[in-house]
Amino acid sequence: MPVGNVELVKLNPVKGIKIGITEAHVRYAGRKDLTVFDIIAGANTAVVTTQNQFCAAPVQLLREFIAKDSPRYLIVNTGNANAATGEDGKQRAKTTCVALAEKTAVAAEQVLPYSTGVIGETLPADKIIAGLDSALANLTEDNWLGAAHSIMTTDTTPKGHSEIVEIDGTTYTVTGISKGAGMIRPNMATMLGFVATDANIEKSLLQNILTDTVNQSFNRITVDGDTSTNDCCTLIATGQASDTVIDSDQHPHYQAIYDAIKSVMLKIAQLIVRDGEGATKFITVKVSGGKTSEDCAKIAYAVAHSPLVKTAFFASDPNWGRILAAVGYAGVDLDQSQVNVSLDDVRICERGGLASDYTEEKGAEVMKRPEITISIELGQGDATDTVYTCDLSYEYVKINADYRS
Amino acid sequence: MPVGNVELVKLNPVKGIKIGITEAHVRYAGRKDLTVFDIIAGANTAVVTTQNQFCAAPVQLLREFIAKDSPRYLIVNTGNANAATGEDGKQRAKTTCVALAEKTAVAAEQVLPYSTGVIGETLPADKIIAGLDSALANLTEDNWLGAAHSIMTTDTTPKGHSEIVEIDGTTYTVTGISKGAGMIRPNMATMLGFVATDANIEKSLLQNILTDTVNQSFNRITVDGDTSTNDCCTLIATGQASDTVIDSDQHPHYQAIYDAIKSVMLKIAQLIVRDGEGATKFITVKVSGGKTSEDCAKIAYAVAHSPLVKTAFFASDPNWGRILAAVGYAGVDLDQSQVNVSLDDVRICERGGLASDYTEEKGAEVMKRPEITISIELGQGDATDTVYTCDLSYEYVKINADYRS
């Protein structure tokens, strides 16, 4: 069960993007597992990919392809990550791109492959290729929700968000979907995120926007600290809303579009944490007063990754000593007598010791909440950073001990 | 239940060390929780302490004291870590040292304090002081096993080891004990380790031996990646076995003593992993073929800390893709086509892909073993490193969700 309200808003179609989904039986029968995005000619596309050295075969191919040409199709399968599959895996991914390119009369390099699922198993490329006709047959603009479902693996809920902004009489749409619940500590992007807008955004600016908003969203979530081999986040600007080309961050339309994209990114990134494997609590770790934002991020991640902190939150136990211990081993020089820690509005630690007005009752009350912000003030400077995570429950162990079996 | 054979050898007395234990009711009634070590005058003592910035009050005090004088007593309580307790905590630790110093006619700085237990609660110094007479009354050389019991917290089994070496007609004894089961990623030493020998080792050399052997033992184990606030490892050389002063690593007695100390350190460090909270498997992560041993350690720790790897081992699932993913995100530049991975004698990954002769049956067979070595060859150079860890089970979550409650 995901944490908090995860009901999706209507995922508005983005003019210039059509989506087809089908059952290709990649791993399981009876579920949609193949998704094809059709991108209108002339759109710009930006991608960020995992920093995992064992990046999957489709990620390797995708990097080569997008450097050569402008994508016209995305082909996404679940059930098999096609990771740690060597040269054979790359060839198999390529055959699916070639097959789709032939059916749609585009270059093979204009088809980007994405895979998610179990690592280390051979991709059943033939099944994917066999499913392409069916996916192409139901291409439609209003299929984002269907796609959010069909890219799921251990996710218990589809993830998406959509915003509409009006600027100077032009209506822009930004819609995005994501997937992921475990092996989540994106180090570029989540397992899979697809965001599109009908704004006309110049290509290099689009890449900057993607990198920047991913850093504030997908790169600030963690479930278990495991950076996936298949992380990819894709941002498409179809340019169908208007002829106005947004070509710099000084453009009058820039800020509103940027904010809408960031909002969609953050929402679909946070939905991954809310659906984190076994999660019962959504935890925001906010570190302020640091010398640098890197210091703040180090501390926020140390707290967010600590199994002891995570199990204490699962147990609703205000065991704040574990938070301090994690702050202390994050690798940042600290004066512990300057450190304050609060859980929501309850100050638990003051100047490195127990807060004078703290009571176990107050701590117990705040720990019962399903969404909690841990605020850590370092008293060293003005830098801040924020990371989103969840607790560690029996269910996490169960899911990951059972998965694959 | 600890993993493997954790039955202790006889913990031989070390001439010059007497140990007294008692019930001081620090946290619980009906269990020994206060331990006093009496060190003969003229002994040399070396200490390494946690690198956690939130180091506990007794650790702060201990660092000050050992810089000033040669220790004659160690005073160790369980049930309360006296960490994140500010200046008050330090004063409370000091009162226990002063009380023991008065009773034994030594300087307060000659008494080193050690605490382990819950973080952030006020140390009941009065209870500890009240227990001192009883502890002093039963000081005896043959009390190492009793001390191994009385320093336990969530440990399910006492931890100790002992070796006797004969060199040129001199018999040397090395005996050590440790405690710890959770919040284990020592970054200097484990929660608590006490090792003594009757060899006569020059003080600065003793410190070098301690630092070096800790780096190969306590600093190479991890249960949950959480570096404690209270880690301390202490090595005492009483000099009672012989008048021969071992004053350099060229001394004829040096190597045998060094080896015995290292062996005791490694054994009592590994016992912590075998008794890791909820552990069902003892896992050795051996990385070879790296450019530097730091690279190898980074990769070994990434694998050892991955919740996905740890849950797969709990489930006896040869999900080797998770191992590769962890290798890939360790932050080391790799050519994945050069990487091989084995579980014991079963090669699972060859040149970054599935090994040609690997079968799921072979993988399933090896994963059933209670002790498994993951060997990772990077194919980049000659450096190696090894880390010891355990799996992640329901029981880990249960213990840490229940502890304190």
Side-chain angles (χ1 to χ4, degrees), chain A residues 57-58 60-61 80 82-96 120-125, chain B residues 351-354:
Chain A
Q60 296 174 45
L61 206 61
N80 185 310
N82 194 12
T85 48
E87 190 54 34
D88 176 66
K90 219 169 140 184
Q91 284 310 317
R92 285 173 180 267
K94 196 168 184 175
T95 60
T96 66
E121 299 196 352
T122 302
L123 184 77
Chain B
R351 300 174 165 274
L354 192 62

Side-chain angles (χ1 to χ4, degrees), chain B residues 119-153:
Chain B
I119 296 174
E121 301 196 350
T122 302
L123 184 78
D126 49 340
K127 291 186 182 173
I128 293 171
I129 292 168
L132 290 177
D133 283 337
S134 159
L136 291 172
N138 70 38
L139 282 173
T140 157
E141 284 198 342
D142 200 8
N143 217 354
W144 284 88
L145 184 58
H149 275 280
S150 74
I151 62 174
M152 288 164 59
T153 51

Side-chain angles (χ1 to χ4, degrees), chain B residues 26-40:
Chain B
V26 172
R27 186 172 179 81
Y28 299 107
R31 65 153 291 183
K32 304 279 199 289
D33 55 6
L34 179 62
T35 308
V36 171
F37 287 78
D38 176 319
I39 305 168
I40 199 163

Side-chain angles (χ1 to χ4, degrees), chain B residues 70-366:
Chain B
S70 206
R72 291 293 311 284
Y73 289 91
L74 315 180
I75 176 169
V76 190
N77 75 271
T78 57
N80 185 310
N82 194 12
T85 48
E87 189 54 34
D88 176 64
K90 219 168 140 185
Q91 283 310 317
R92 285 172 182 269
K94 196 167 183 175
T95 61
T96 67
C97 298
V98 168
L100 184 55
E102 281 172 1
K103 290 178 192 296
T104 56
V106 301
E109 290 78 7
Q110 292 185 293
V111 183
L112 301 186
Y114 301 77
S115 294
T116 179
V118 179
I119 296 174
E121 301 196 350
T122 302
L123 184 78
D126 49 340
K127 291 186 182 173
I128 293 171
I129 292 168
L132 290 177
D133 283 337
S134 159
L136 291 172
N138 70 38
L139 282 173
T140 157
E141 284 198 342
D142 200 8
N143 217 354
W144 284 88
L145 184 58
H149 275 280
S150 74
I151 62 174
M152 288 164 59
T153 51
T154 56
D155 310 61
T156 69
T157 179
K159 299 167 180 69
H161 195 58
S162 193
E163 298 230 344
I164 289 177
V165 280
E166 290 219 19
I167 317 166
D168 300 340
T170 304
T171 304
Y172 292 113
T173 301
V174 181
T175 298
I177 59 173
S178 65
K179 63 113 354 207
M183 200 175 269
I184 300 292
R185 188 212 166 154
N187 197 354
M188 273 318 272
T190 183
M191 286 287 280
L192 294 178
F194 300 97
V195 179
T197 176
D198 49 10
N200 195 338
I201 306 175
E202 187 272 328
K203 199 173 167 184
S204 66
L205 185 66
L206 190 72
Q207 184 70 51
N208 290 347
I209 293 174
L210 177 63
T211 302
D212 198 43
T213 54
V214 159
N215 265 335
Q216 297 173 71
S217 56
F218 291 114
N219 282 359
R220 287 296 177 274
I221 63 171
T222 182
V223 170
D224 45 21
D226 279 291
T227 300
S228 159
T229 49
N230 290 53
D231 291 347
C232 279
C233 188
T234 301
L235 174 62
I236 306 162
T238 65
Q240 298 300 299
S242 156
D243 290 335
T244 308
V245 180
I246 302 170
D247 55 1
S248 98
D249 57 10
Q250 301 304 312
H251 189 283
H253 293 195
Y254 175 84
Q255 197 57 48
I257 284 290
Y258 177 92
D259 290 346
I261 292 172
K262 183 181 156 188
S263 167
V264 169
M265 290 277 188
L266 192 60
K267 188 82 180 209
I268 64 178
Q270 289 182 346
L271 280 168
I272 289 176
V273 174
R274 291 180 186 281
D275 195 23
E277 289 171 344
T280 73
K281 290 199 168 68
F282 178 82
I283 303 165
T284 301
V285 187
K286 195 175 162 182
V287 180
S288 61
K291 281 186 201 135
T292 64
S293 61
E294 290 71 29
D295 279 0
C296 295
K298 265 192 200 172
I299 288 172
Y301 271 117
V303 172
H305 286 150
S306 161
L308 291 174
V309 170
K310 291 167 99 83
T311 48
F313 274 80
F314 170 54
S316 297
D317 175 10
N319 193 327
W320 56 278
R322 295 182 182 177
I323 299 173
L324 289 191
V327 170
Y329 66 66
V332 175
D333 274 333
L334 288 177
D335 175 358
Q336 54 174 282
S337 72
Q338 296 301 307
V339 176
N340 300 325
V341 180
S342 298
L343 298 175
D344 284 352
D345 49 342
V346 177
R347 172 68 59 97
I348 50 172
C349 164
E350 227 163 44
R351 300 174 165 274
L354 192 62
S356 51
D357 61 349
Y358 176 75
T359 61
E360 283 279 323
E361 291 65 38
K362 284 187 192 173
E365 190 279 319
V366 71

Side-chain angles (χ1 to χ4, degrees), chain A residues 52-53 226 306 325 328-329 334 401, chain B residues 52-53 226 306 315 325 328-329 334:
Chain A
N52 193 308
Q53 296 278 323
D226 281 291
S306 161
Y329 66 66
L334 288 177
Chain B
N52 193 308
Q53 295 279 322
D226 279 291
S306 161
Y329 66 66
L334 288 177

